[in-house]
Amino acid sequence: MAVQGWRVRLAGLAAAGGFLATALGIRVLTQGDGVLDSSGALRQHSGTALYASMVYAGVFVLAPRARPVVAGTLAVAFCWLVELLQLTGLPAELSGRSLAARLVLGVRFDAADLVWYPVGVLPLVLIHAGVVRWRSHEAGSPSSRTI
C-alpha cells in the first residue's frame, strides 16, 4: 500500500505541474503583459479554474487515499477560504512582498472566482470517480482475475 500512496502523490504532483503549465501557457499565448497578467476573461477565469484543479491534485499529494468527492470538496472549500481571506486585505499585503504569496493567495476578492473554482474541480471529480468505478469493476470481473 505504501508504494501505491507514493504513486498517487507523484501523479498529483505531475497533474499540478501540468495545470500550472497550462495556466501559464494560456497567459503567454494570449499576449498579456506578462505571465502574471490576469486581465481578460480567458486569462482570469482559466487561471482561476486551473488553480482549483491544482488544489485538487494537491489534495492527493497530502492524502493519497482520498476519495474523489472528498478531495473535490476539500479543494473547493480551500479555494473559497482563500478567496474569502482576500476580503481582509492580508493576501494583498503578503502578495506585495512575495511572488509565492501572490500565486497562492491572490491579491483581491472577486465573487466570480467562487463560481470558477468548482468549474475547475467538478470535471476532475467526475472523471476520477468514473475511473475509480471502472477500475473496481474491472478488478471484480471474472476475465480480469488471474487463475
Side-chain angles (χ1 to χ4, degrees):
M1 280 297 183
V3 172
Q4 180 68 18
W6 281 107
R7 280 190 202 152
V8 172
R9 285 184 169 102
L10 289 174
L13 280 173
F19 295 132
L20 177 60
T22 302
L24 295 176
I26 289 170
R27 288 172 182 228
V28 167
L29 294 174
T30 56
Q31 303 297 321
D33 288 334
V35 178
L36 296 180
D37 176 25
S38 63
S39 62
L42 176 63
R43 276 177 263 150
Q44 180 180 4
H45 301 313
S46 66
T48 300
L50 288 164
Y51 171 83
S53 298
M54 283 190 309
V55 172
Y56 179 77
V59 169
F60 292 100
V61 173
L62 299 174
R65 292 184 180 201
R67 293 181 185 181
V69 172
V70 172
T73 301
L74 289 171
V76 171
F78 175 83
C79 292
W80 283 346
L81 180 66
V82 168
E83 192 69 31
L84 293 173
L85 182 64
Q86 292 171 356
L87 290 169
T88 68
L90 180 62
E93 182 180 324
L94 295 173
S95 294
R97 298 183 206 163
S98 165
L99 175 60
R102 181 174 181 181
L103 294 173
V104 174
L105 300 175
V107 178
R108 64 187 161 295
F109 177 79
D110 184 353
D113 288 352
L114 297 172
V115 174
W116 284 102
Y117 293 131
V119 169
V121 171
L122 185 59
L124 299 176
V125 170
L126 294 174
I127 291 167
H128 191 177
V131 168
V132 167
R133 180 174 286 130
W134 176 75
R135 290 181 82 192
S136 66
H137 176 71
E138 286 292 311
S141 70
S143 63
S144 67
R145 293 184 193 144
T146 57
I147 298 176

